[in-house]
């Protein structure tokens, strides 16, 4: 796919780069085996719609929402969730 | 499909085959399983009533709850087992490990299940179906309890239960477990199953694995040592999938799996990689594809809510400012109530116990038996009982926090702060409660799923200055710390008090950090926490929770604490010195005889004098007895060890007797110095303070100097001088070694810090 054929340009970034309230589509999980396996089992497979709900008062942990359930995870782990967003 | 289902021969579990007697058939074991927080325990309670047995699984501190079906008069009794929550059959916590082991029949203390009730949260169908389909595929007779139908409805979702049953090939019972709606239907179904188990549909394979992956799975399944045939083969197949997918898979020596098997798994993974199949994700993705398809067929969104009521609440309760303020408010209320509210029932209990003690005292003549009963047994029971009000209140609060769903938010808010020293946000509440008393605090650490985090929390909890230390602090500060104003309202005694609390906290954090860096390093600090929607708590459940905790404490820890108290009583009472006992009797006799011989005119006056003299004699006797007892001898024995801290053997006696309960230091010192066993009235307390100030060392310098006082305060702030806490640590970690290590470590640190305080102070010329 070349840039020309894509109507809206998508960007891949860690979910923590999104502002609270924004959502994206899971592109990849760049995480160590266990964490990755668990997040996958919770339903965070590639292509899932996931929302960055909020950051805790001190910026860590973060709350994300996908498939109708809310999860809190440490920033360190959330940084490995790469999402695709359309501006 | 269903024809195929009914002809398949259901599995015959070992347990029912072995039980031979015809009159009373072996109870059918029905296990309740599902995701965390989906209502398993609520359903379990509805099905079993109040007859649950709570225990632990062998070797781990995972709770095991078992109960009989409520009011079953049928020929075949039914036993329910409430399993912990699990997200998947690949375990990430001891809880999930138990679930997997029970369902795959690896758990030695649980027989093979006869039936599985899968509790599924209807408001979160997709995620719940992931685990549900994993379990269905194990091939047990299975039913689905589709719980939280009310929440699903409120969120604007309609579910087609008949369709779901058809897709999964097993019966589905929609219900609201908390209001018991739909529970009787499930109950009838289970009774019918118990009568005729063979007619029940069993789980079948649902998820379509990639063909290459499936071939590898079948191959591994066949080489399992406990490979099963027929429908049982599904267990082996499920196990093979888990092995192939789980990166951390290691062969289980206890079930005869060899390293050879591990090699086969590796080879299979390699072959899959060559075909560019990701063995880590293939099975998971296939299952989500299957689950997603089912959910599309079953769920119908009737109205789409952009924000549920729970989300609205969360915007305030996890808000940077309001959320933090609300959290502080909740914690303050909780702490204040276990600190002060618990005093009322505690006081009541103490008076009651004292009343019983004096009743027995009046019934029996003075002597060893009376002393054993009153000072040993009754006082020991009292030592157990004083913990109860605090435990009850704390667990009422914890149940409230957990049932409403606020606990997860509290952990979310506190995680960063606790994370600094490598702990989990959930460690906050156990540690906070430990300021009132470490015993309920340690019990509260059960809410922490991660075993190492839980252990660290348990081990640092005794460093929080508990309310039993307060009388000791107050006494020693009154004796040793000059009442000087420093700046404004801040006085030296106040500053010392603050310093002691801070010392405990700082040391706890340092030790936690150190432990997490070294011996308790978790190889994978997995901090994924679900934030469940807020729910209205059931009062019934809250009190049940409280009751379970309290009775568990009495059964498991209470007996040991009682035993230790009786032992301590023995050590403080024996041996008796016959010479002194005799001379005491003689003196007493002389005094009374003398009074009788005096002029009868001034009898009124003399009576008072006589009583005072007798009381003084009694105090001397008590002091002499204690100083001569085993504890007194131990005090002398340890004197060389505590002398560098500035303590003499009499303080040693105080330290040793504190093991029954820290606040006993005050009354012990009163006995040691012949000031009576009091400390009960203000007058007594002042007398004790005065007496302590007057104590001199052998060289004539005062004993209770500021420096000695500080060293002793530091010692009390750190050392684990509480049998109750030590026993609870032993019970909650399931290991006597941790309890002993804790006792020794904190003792050593306390000694070292006291030493530094005393000798450092002397070095600096403070005396
Ligand atoms: N609205 C609603 N709430 C329910 C229902 N069933 C259970 N609850 C509530 O859901 C919460 C969790 O229930 P539990 O029974 O403790 O869940 P569990 O599955 O045992 O949870 P874990 O043991 O932690 O895995 C409690 O607050 C219950 O009161 C239901 O059908 N509807
Ligand atoms: Mg439960």
């Amino acid at each position: 796919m070349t840039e020309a054929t894509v109507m809206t340009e998508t960007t891949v970034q860690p979910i923590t780069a999104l502002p609270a309230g924004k959502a994206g589509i899971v592109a990849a999980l760049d995480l160590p085996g266990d964490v990755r396996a668990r997040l996958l089992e919770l339903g965070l497979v590639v292509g899932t719609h996931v929302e960055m709900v909020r950051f805790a008062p001190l910026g860590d942990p973060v709350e994300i929402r996908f498939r109708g359930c809310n999860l809190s995870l440490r920033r360190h782990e959330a940084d490995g969730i790469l999402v695709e967003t359309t501006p | 499909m269903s024809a195929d289902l009914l002809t398949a021969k259901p599995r015959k579990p070992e347990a029912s085959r072995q039980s031979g007697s015809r009159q009373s058939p072996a109870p059918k074991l029905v296990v309740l399983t599902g995701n965390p927080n989906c209502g398993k325990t609520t359903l379990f309670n509805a099905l079993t009533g109040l007859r649950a047995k709570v225990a632990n699984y062998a070797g781990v501190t995972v709770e095991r709850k078992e109960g009989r079906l409520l009011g079953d008069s049928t020929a075949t009794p039914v036993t329910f087992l409430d399993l912990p929550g699990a997200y998947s059959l690949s375990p990430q916590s001891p809880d999930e490990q138990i679930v997997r082991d029970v369902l795959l029949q690896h758990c030695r203390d649980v027989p093979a299940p006869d039936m599985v009730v899968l509790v599924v949260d209807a408001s979160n169908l997709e995620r719940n179906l992931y685990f549900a389909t994993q379990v269905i595929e194990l091939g047990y007779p299975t039913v689905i309890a589709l719980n939280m139908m009310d929440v699903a409805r409120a969120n604007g979702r309609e579910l087609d239960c008949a369709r779901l049953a058809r897709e999964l090939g097993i019966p589905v019972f929609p219900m609201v477990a908390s209001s018991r709606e739909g529970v009787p239907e499930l109950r009838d179904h289970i009774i019918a199953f118990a009568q005729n188990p063979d007619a029940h549909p069993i789980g079948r394979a649902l998820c379509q694995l990639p063909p290459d992956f499936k071939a590898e799975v079948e191959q591994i399944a066949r080489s399992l040592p406990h490979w099963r045939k027929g429908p049982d083969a599904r267990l082996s197949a499920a196990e093979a999938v888990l092995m192939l997918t789980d990166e951390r898979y290691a062969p289980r020596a206890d079930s005869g799996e060899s390293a050879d098997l591990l090699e086969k798994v590796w080879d299979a993974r390699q072959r899959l990689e060559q075909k560019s199949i990701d063995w880590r994700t293939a099975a998971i993705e296939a299952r989500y594809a299957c689950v997603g398809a089912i959910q599309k067929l079953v769920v119908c969104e009737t109205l789409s809510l952009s924000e549920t009521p729970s989300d609205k609440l969360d915007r305030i309760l996890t808000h940077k400012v309001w959320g933090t303020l609300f959290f502080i408010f909740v914690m303050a209320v909780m702490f204040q109530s276990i600190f002060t509210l618990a005093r009322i029932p505690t006081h009541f209990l103490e008076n009651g116990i004292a009343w019983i003690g004096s009743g027995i005292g009046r019934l029996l003549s003075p002597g060893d038996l009376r002393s054993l009963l009153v000072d040993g047994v009754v006082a020991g029971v009292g030592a157990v009982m004083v913990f109860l009000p605090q435990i009850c209140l704390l667990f009422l609060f914890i149940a409230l926090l957990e049932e409403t769903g606020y606990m997860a938010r509290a952990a979310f808010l506190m995680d960063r702060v606790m994370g600094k020293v490598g702990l989990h946000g959930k460690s906050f509440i156990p540690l906070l409660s430990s300021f009132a008393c470490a015993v309920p605090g340690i019990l509260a650490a059960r809410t922490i799923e991660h075993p190492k985090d839980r252990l660290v929390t348990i081990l640092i909890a005794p460093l929080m200055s508990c309310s039993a230390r307060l009388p000791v602090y107050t006494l020693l500060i009154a004796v040793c710390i000059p009442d000087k104003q420093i700046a404004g309202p801040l006085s030296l005694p106040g500053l010392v008090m603050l310093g002691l609390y801070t010392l405990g906290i700082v040391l706890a954090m340092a030790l936690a950090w150190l432990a997490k860096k070294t011996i308790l390093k978790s190889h994978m600090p997995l901090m994924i926490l679900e934030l469940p929607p807020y729910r209205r708590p059931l009062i019934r459940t809250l009190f049940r929770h409280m009751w379970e905790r309290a009775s568990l404490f009495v059964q498991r820890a209470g007996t040991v604490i009682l035993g230790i108290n009786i032992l301590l009583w023995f050590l403080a009472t024996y041996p008796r010195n016959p010479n002194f006992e005799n001379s005491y009797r003689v003196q007493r006799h002389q005094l009374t005889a003398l009074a009788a011989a005096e002029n009868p005119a001034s009898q009124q006056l003399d009576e008072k004098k006589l009583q005072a003299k007798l009381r003084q004699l009694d105090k001397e006797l008590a002091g002499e007895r204690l100083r001569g007892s085993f504890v007194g001898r131990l005090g002398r024995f340890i004197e060389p060890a505590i002398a560098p801290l500035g303590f003499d053997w009499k303080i040693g006696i105080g330290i040793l007797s504190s093991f029954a309960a820290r606040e006993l230091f005050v009354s012990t010192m009163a006995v040691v110095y012949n000031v009576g066993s009091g400390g009960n009235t203000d007058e007594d307390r002042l007398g004790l303070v005065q007496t302590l100030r007057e104590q001199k060392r052998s060289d004539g310098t005062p004993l209770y100097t500021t420096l000695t006082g500080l060293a002793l305060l530091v010692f009390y702030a750190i050392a684990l001088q509480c049998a109750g806490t030590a026993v609870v640590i032993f019970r909650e970690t399931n290991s006597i070694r941790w309890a002993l290590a804790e006792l020794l470590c904190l003792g050593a640190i306390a000694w070292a810090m006291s030493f530094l305080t005393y000798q450092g102070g002397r070095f600096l010329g403070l005396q």
Side-chain angles (χ1 to χ4, degrees):
Chain A
M1 253 196 312
T2 60
E3 295 261 325
T5 60
V6 186
M7 294 306 287
T8 49
E9 201 178 319
T10 61
T11 46
V12 172
Q13 54 188 329
I15 190 164
T16 46
L18 301 184
K22 274 279 276 180
I25 306 289
V26 178
L29 298 182
D30 180 17
L31 287 161
D34 291 35
V35 189
R36 182 157 175 266
R38 180 37 55 103
L39 286 175
L40 286 170
E41 286 181 317
L42 289 171
L44 209 61
V45 295
V46 170
T48 311
H49 180 91
V50 53
E51 182 189 337
M52 176 67 236
V53 181
R54 63 172 62 85
F55 297 86
L58 296 169
D60 190 9
V62 303
E63 180 180 345
I64 61 172
R65 188 201 339 256
F66 56 93
R67 295 185 199 260
C69 69
N70 296 28
L71 281 192
S72 142
L73 57 166
R74 292 240 169 110
R75 196 160 183 144
H76 176 73
E77 279 139 17
D79 282 340
I81 303 173
L82 303 178
V83 292
E84 208 176 85
T85 46
T86 47
Chain B
M1 165 194 75
S2 46
D4 166 84
L5 256 169
L6 292 171
T7 48
K9 244 198 141 4
R11 357 162 315 93
K12 269 261 166 61
E14 298 287 326
S16 64
R17 228 179 295 156
Q18 280 166 359
S19 63
S21 80
R22 236 171 242 160
Q23 301 93 322
S24 61
K28 294 278 172 231
L29 178 68
V30 179
V31 301
L32 290 168
T33 186
N35 277 189
N37 230 333
C38 63
K40 295 176 295 296
T41 307
T42 312
L43 178 59
F44 173 85
N45 291 346
L47 287 168
T48 61
L50 279 165
R51 300 182 298 166
K53 251 193 351 212
V54 187
N56 274 356
Y57 288 93
V60 282
T61 44
V62 176
E63 207 155 85
R64 173 178 172 167
K65 264 177 116 169
E66 246 181 272
R68 279 287 188 79
L69 181 63
L70 189 65
D72 73 285
S73 51
T74 51
T76 331
V78 175
T79 310
F80 288 97
L81 180 65
D82 180 23
L83 288 176
Y87 289 114
S88 115
L89 285 177
S90 315
Q92 295 273 8
S93 70
D95 280 11
E96 289 186 333
Q97 194 134 5
I98 287 290
V99 174
R100 187 203 54 187
D101 287 352
V102 168
L103 289 172
L104 294 184
Q105 299 171 18
H106 289 317
C107 195
R108 245 168 289 138
D109 48 340
V110 178
D114 294 298
M115 180 193 226
V116 175
V117 174
L118 259 168
V119 186
V120 168
D121 177 354
S123 68
N124 195 350
L125 191 65
E126 212 174 348
R127 220 243 355 256
N128 274 254
L129 278 181
Y130 180 84
F131 177 70
T133 54
Q134 272 191 324
V135 176
I136 292 169
E137 291 181 358
L138 298 179
Y140 290 102
T142 312
V143 291
I144 294 228
L146 193 59
N147 196 27
M148 309 260 183
M149 288 301 281
D150 55 332
V151 184
R153 245 172 268 137
N155 290 354
R157 295 170 127 208
E158 285 301 328
L159 278 83
D160 183 348
C161 297
R163 187 70 202 253
L164 183 63
R166 240 185 307 142
E167 291 302 320
L168 299 175
I170 51 172
V172 171
F173 293 87
M175 64 176 60
V176 181
S178 51
S179 67
R180 315 238 158 144
E181 189 188 320
V183 176
E185 287 84 348
L186 175 65
R187 184 174 171 273
D188 293 345
H189 182 85
I190 293 171
I191 292 175
F193 162 80
Q195 308 293 1
N196 188 7
D198 291 354
H200 201 278
I202 59 173
R204 61 184 171 99
L206 296 164
C207 160
Q208 294 293 326
L209 292 167
D212 289 324
F213 193 89
K214 200 170 171 191
E216 296 291 355
V217 165
E218 275 160 13
Q219 210 173 336
I220 292 173
R222 261 194 294 277
S223 50
L224 284 174
H226 40 267
W227 186 62
R228 295 164 254 222
K229 291 204 178 64
D232 280 3
R234 295 196 184 134
L235 276 181
S236 303
E239 193 150 16
V241 174
L242 298 178
M243 275 178 190
L244 204 54
T245 314
D246 186 0
E247 252 178 321
R248 285 171 309 158
Y249 169 70
R252 306 162 54 100
D254 56 339
S255 51
E257 290 169 14
S258 57
D260 180 45
L261 188 59
L262 187 60
E263 213 150 281
K264 276 194 184 137
V265 172
W266 273 336
D267 288 347
R269 285 177 186 169
Q270 222 138 46
R271 280 192 295 274
L272 286 173
E273 260 165 34
Q274 275 159 14
K275 288 175 195 151
S276 64
I277 296 176
D278 187 345
W279 47 267
R280 288 184 200 84
T281 57
I284 301 174
E285 277 166 359
R287 191 169 300 283
Y288 264 104
C290 154
V291 163
I294 295 177
Q295 112 122 8
K296 275 213 188 73
L297 293 172
V298 172
V299 181
C300 164
E301 307 253 349
T302 49
L303 71 152
S304 74
L305 288 175
S306 60
E307 206 176 35
T308 62
S310 180
D311 291 335
K312 280 190 194 126
L313 206 54
D314 247 349
R315 269 207 306 205
I316 302 165
L317 294 185
T318 54
H319 186 267
K320 280 188 174 60
V321 180
W322 308 125
T324 314
L325 284 179
F326 182 75
F327 173 77
I328 294 172
F329 170 74
V330 171
M331 291 300 124
V333 169
M334 182 181 95
F335 182 68
Q336 198 55 37
S337 55
I338 47 173
F339 204 81
T340 48
L341 211 63
R343 292 232 181 108
I344 303 164
T346 305
H347 209 70
F348 211 66
L349 274 173
E350 274 172 345
N351 286 345
I353 299 225
W355 182 79
I356 294 171
S358 66
I360 294 175
R362 250 177 276 123
L363 280 177
L364 297 171
S365 56
D368 287 359
L369 180 65
R370 183 172 97 170
S371 176
L372 168 66
L373 285 181
V374 176
D375 303 327
V377 178
V378 175
V381 170
V384 177
M385 289 306 191
V386 291
F387 292 120
L388 277 185
Q390 289 176 335
I391 290 177
C392 288
L393 263 174
L394 179 60
F395 277 95
L396 203 56
F397 265 104
I398 288 188
L400 185 68
L401 296 184
E402 287 212 315
E403 294 291 304
T404 52
Y406 187 70
M407 186 66 111
R409 273 74 184 184
F412 179 71
L413 291 172
M414 286 315 290
D415 194 59
R416 185 66 204 276
V417 178
M418 305 309 290
K420 286 253 189 248
V421 291
L423 287 177
H424 191 277
K426 282 195 176 176
S427 300
F428 187 78
I429 287 176
L431 292 179
L432 180 73
S433 327
S434 297
F435 281 105
C437 177
V439 168
I442 288 169
L443 295 177
R446 284 195 176 219
T447 50
I448 305 168
E449 291 94 1
H450 201 274
K452 284 184 177 169
D453 280 353
R454 181 170 163 214
L455 184 57
V456 173
T457 309
I458 288 175
L459 295 180
I460 65 172
L463 283 168
M464 306 296 134
S465 278
C466 63
S467 55
R469 282 171 171 115
L470 213 50
V472 183
Y473 289 173
T474 318
L475 174 72
L476 289 173
I477 286 177
V479 173
C480 305
I481 308 296
D483 192 4
K484 254 194 261 166
Q485 225 53 34
I486 295 183
L490 209 60
S491 65
L492 197 55
L495 200 66
V496 170
M497 189 69 99
L498 187 68
L500 290 168
Y501 277 85
T502 317
L503 173 70
I505 298 171
V506 170
L507 198 62
M509 294 302 132
L511 287 181
W513 180 82
L514 200 69
K516 292 290 285 189
K517 283 267 174 243
T518 54
I519 44 171
L520 291 175
K521 200 164 172 168
S522 347
H523 88 118
M524 194 65 263
L526 203 60
M527 294 299 172
I528 301 174
L529 178 74
E530 196 180 349
L531 299 169
Y534 289 103
R535 297 205 174 96
R536 188 191 307 267
L538 287 174
I539 305 294
R540 196 170 357 117
T541 316
L542 300 186
F543 279 93
R544 193 184 167 118
H545 221 79
M546 179 186 99
W547 169 248
E548 272 174 15
R549 281 289 145 265
S551 54
L552 216 58
F553 167 76
V554 171
Q555 282 165 29
R556 289 171 53 83
T559 41
V560 186
I561 296 174
L562 176 62
I564 290 180
N565 270 280
I566 294 175
L567 178 73
L568 284 169
W569 162 83
F570 175 82
L571 292 177
T573 313
Y574 295 99
R576 292 263 161 88
N577 179 347
N579 291 340
F580 185 79
E581 301 282 324
N582 278 337
S583 91
Y584 162 76
R585 236 169 275 135
V586 171
Q587 279 186 50
R588 201 181 163 95
H589 188 75
Q590 278 172 351
L591 270 178
T592 32
L594 209 67
E598 296 266 313
N599 183 4
S602 60
Q603 202 158 11
Q604 206 63 7
L605 206 90
D606 279 352
E607 184 61 30
K608 258 193 196 149
K609 251 196 218 156
L610 173 69
Q611 287 306 326
K613 273 187 186 158
L614 284 180
R615 238 179 290 133
Q616 186 53 36
L617 201 61
D618 282 344
K619 286 176 186 170
E620 273 165 31
L621 172 74
E624 193 61 33
R625 276 184 175 169
L626 181 58
R627 292 188 291 267
S629 69
F630 289 116
V631 170
R633 290 173 193 196
L634 268 175
R636 279 201 197 86
F637 179 73
I638 64 165
E639 188 170 35
I642 55 176
L645 316 181
F647 309 159
D648 69 351
W649 62 275
K650 289 183 181 170
I651 297 181
I653 295 180
I655 291 176
L656 289 172
S657 3
S658 294
F659 277 95
R662 259 182 276 243
E663 66 271 28
L664 286 185
F665 177 80
V666 178
S667 56
T668 306
M669 291 327 267
V671 173
V672 167
Y673 292 118
N674 299 351
V675 216
S677 60
N680 290 330
T681 61
D682 279 345
E683 200 181 324
D684 274 1
R685 221 164 287 145
L686 275 179
L688 182 59
V689 169
Q690 205 50 45
T691 315
L692 290 184
R693 280 193 184 144
E694 284 159 9
Q695 296 304 313
K696 298 268 192 289
R697 285 180 198 282
S698 47
D699 60 2
T701 56
L703 173 61
Y704 288 93
T705 58
T706 307
L707 214 49
T708 317
L710 278 179
L712 194 51
L713 283 167
V714 166
F715 191 88
Y716 265 86
I718 301 171
L720 177 60
Q721 285 170 293
C722 172
T725 309
V727 170
V728 167
I729 292 178
F730 156 53
R731 286 305 196 178
E732 292 294 299
T733 57
N734 234 333
S735 133
I736 193 122
R737 262 189 285 161
W738 276 117
L740 288 178
E742 172 86 340
L743 214 65
L744 291 177
C745 272
L746 290 187
I749 296 172
W751 189 92
M753 297 289 274
S754 277
F755 181 83
L756 282 180
T757 311
Y758 186 70
Q759 299 295 349
R762 274 166 53 118
F763 182 74
L764 294 175
L766 300 166
Q767 187 52 277

